[in-house]
Amino acid sequence: MLVNADFHVHSCFSSASSKDMLIENMAPKSKLKGLQLLGTGDAFHPGWLDIIEESTEYSGDGIYTSGDMDFVLTTEVEGKNRVHHLIIIPNIEAARELSDKLISKNKNVDGRPRTAYTGAELLELVRQYDCLIGPAHAFTPWTGMYKSYDSIYECYDKKPDFVELGLSADTFMADTVSELKDFPFLSNSDAHSPWPHRLGREFNAMELEDISFTSIKNAIKHRKIKANYGLIPNLGKYHMTACTKCFKIVDPASARENKMRCSCGGIIKKGVDYRISEIADYSEPKHPDFRPDYIHLMPLAELISTVYDKGVTTKTVQGKWQKLIDSFQTEIDVLINVSLDEIEKVDSNIAPAIKGFREKSIDVIPGGGGQYGQILLNKEVKKRKVAKITTLDNF
């Protein structure tokens, strides 16, 4: 069976997360997105584990069910050098025992615990409980594994189970790094809220025998991921090298000469695009035979927001998003499968934007420095301010 799964989300207990990140909200929103399987996130937090037990029914073999949505226990841990690791856990008993063993001062406060463990130490600890582990958003400049290491084996010593690409990278970028040829890639949302432009904005289509931890483990280990779905990388907020204060995109060489300080006084962060170029072995991607297609997405609510020039969380945008979902069941169907003629009947203003998305004719101002990229429709191209790469001398 083909299952759409998003493994990396956060609960209401994580810093900067919405108080609405509860099972009762995550389950129905994930279904409308087009998912069948969702990570719980934050599964080392005792309070969140209590809520999971209270809000779901145990379906067996590591799966916890609410309504029509199945959950598997997952968590993100911040280890040594602020490197983030994604862990997929077989059951609540294992999660509680691991939480007890993890040396962390904030594990009962923040859903994402911090620890001094290295990647290698975390790998050894969680594999005692049959967990899966890999770097979260591996290339991002603040907490990605490759911001601290030039090789994945420097971090983990042994081979981890997967590599999570993150919102600012895709398969085409990652497969320029030769050491990653043996790793399955995961594309996950890292959602901190249940809004439709966050939850499920990246996910994996996986071939599973059934929905169970055992099947998930087998699918990852035996490379049964059939497709990765994710943002166009330049929509990611760390895609380009840019200032974290004014968000100007900066030439990396100029940034280095000026000790990663912007003329506005802000700190410049190295972008995923440039970081991958530093560690790349090939100028063009070399995909291994097992690598599935990477299918680029744009959040439907953000397309609607651009069309109607309204905020993405406004009643106007959310109402039109809901109308499309009511007509066609899931966001993925609207973006990819439903005919434009049918969409036209529901909203004639949205249909051209979806056509542009499908034909790859929508322009994007790339993100960087912590600011997401901006979607621009054709009518806006002439009036936009192009985010060109600058040196610090011509700001």
Side-chain angles (χ1 to χ4, degrees), residues 264-339:
C264 77
I267 297 171
I268 297 171
K269 271 296 174 182
K270 185 184 295 184
V272 168
D273 177 71
Y274 184 67
R275 179 55 182 145
I276 290 179
S277 76
E278 289 183 315
I279 59 174
D281 301 288
Y282 317 120
S283 59
E284 297 293 331
K286 293 188 178 182
H287 303 300
D289 291 341
F290 70 87
R291 186 75 72 221
D293 289 340
Y294 194 101
I295 299 167
H296 288 124
L297 297 176
M298 288 183 176
L300 178 59
E302 291 186 10
L303 283 173
I304 297 170
S305 173
T306 304
V307 169
Y308 285 96
D309 197 22
K310 299 284 186 181
V312 72
T313 60
T314 60
K315 288 185 178 179
T316 297
V317 171
Q318 293 299 312
K320 292 184 180 298
W321 180 88
Q322 190 63 55
K323 186 177 180 181
L324 286 164
I325 301 308
D326 289 343
S327 300
F328 305 115
Q329 296 189 321
T330 76
E331 176 168 323
I332 300 307
D333 284 330
V334 174
L335 285 171
I336 296 173
N337 300 323
V338 177
S339 75

Side-chain angles (χ1 to χ4, degrees), residues 340-373:
L340 292 172
D341 288 342
E342 291 299 310
I343 295 172
E344 176 89 21
K345 293 175 185 176
V346 176
D347 192 319
S348 59
N349 293 315
I350 299 298
I354 296 193
K355 182 175 186 288
F357 158 71
R358 293 180 182 179
E359 295 178 350
K360 300 179 173 36
S361 63
I362 291 179
D363 199 18
V364 173
I365 292 178
Q371 184 178 70
Y372 285 105

Side-chain angles (χ1 to χ4, degrees), residues 243 245 261-267:
C243 176
K245 184 177 180 181
R261 285 285 180 177
C262 179
S263 57
C264 77
I267 297 171

Side-chain angles (χ1 to χ4, degrees), residues 81-288:
N81 297 327
R82 293 196 64 199
V83 172
H84 285 193
H85 309 268
L86 177 63
I87 302 167
I88 305 174
I89 308 162
N91 52 58
I92 280 182
E93 292 73 27
R96 291 196 189 277
E97 288 190 35
L98 280 165
S99 180
D100 288 341
K101 287 187 175 183
L102 185 73
I103 300 173
S104 169
K105 292 181 179 179
N106 76 327
K107 64 184 177 183
N108 295 322
V109 178
D110 196 328
R112 185 200 296 115
R114 294 190 303 274
T115 181
Y117 285 27
T118 65
E121 290 169 333
L122 274 173
L123 184 150
E124 290 298 327
L125 174 63
V126 303
R127 281 196 173 164
Q128 295 175 30
Y129 290 84
D130 200 32
C131 299
L132 301 168
I133 186 171
H137 38 75
F139 307 99
T140 53
W142 292 103
T143 56
M145 181 269 300
Y146 277 112
K147 63 94 180 176
S148 295
Y149 301 95
D150 288 333
S151 169
I152 195 169
Y153 297 102
E154 291 176 14
C155 178
Y156 292 101
D157 288 347
K158 297 178 182 178
K159 183 181 177 183
D161 299 295
F162 56 81
V163 172
E164 184 187 65
L165 297 173
L167 305 181
S168 296
D170 62 12
T171 296
F172 305 100
M173 298 170 68
D175 272 336
T176 62
V177 181
S178 63
E179 72 172 5
L180 298 182
K181 66 182 183 300
D182 296 325
F183 288 89
F185 292 156
L186 295 184
S187 44
N188 300 309
S189 71
D190 198 1
H192 287 63
S193 82
W195 287 107
H197 61 296
R198 296 288 187 244
L199 197 61
R201 59 188 163 180
E202 298 206 347
F203 64 91
N204 314 274
M206 308 176 73
E207 186 65 41
L208 302 180
E209 293 182 8
D210 53 30
I211 298 183
S212 65
F213 177 81
T214 299
S215 288
I216 294 165
K217 181 178 180 179
N218 288 338
I220 291 174
K221 285 189 172 293
H222 298 293
R223 303 165 178 171
K224 294 182 180 179
I225 298 169
K226 298 302 181 182
N228 293 107
Y229 289 78
L231 294 184
I232 296 170
N234 55 10
L235 283 174
K237 61 182 179 179
Y238 297 113
H239 183 68
M240 299 294 285
T241 299
C243 176
T244 60
K245 184 177 180 181
C246 71
F247 303 117
K248 282 190 173 71
I249 295 173
V250 182
D251 175 66
S254 178
R256 287 196 309 274
E257 289 172 7
N258 288 274
K259 299 181 180 179
M260 305 305 282
R261 285 285 180 177
C262 179
S263 57
C264 77
I267 297 171
I268 297 171
K269 271 296 174 182
K270 185 184 295 184
V272 168
D273 177 71
Y274 184 67
R275 179 55 182 145
I276 290 179
S277 76
E278 289 183 315
I279 59 174
D281 301 288
Y282 317 120
S283 59
E284 297 293 331
K286 293 188 178 182
H287 303 300

Side-chain angles (χ1 to χ4, degrees), residues 55-81:
S55 304
T56 65
E57 295 182 2
Y58 186 53
S59 301
D61 199 354
I63 301 299
Y64 301 81
T65 303
S66 175
D68 292 330
M69 180 55 57
D70 292 318
F71 290 82
V72 64
L73 296 172
T74 61
T75 192
E76 183 182 35
V77 174
E78 182 176 298
K80 186 178 180 180
N81 297 327

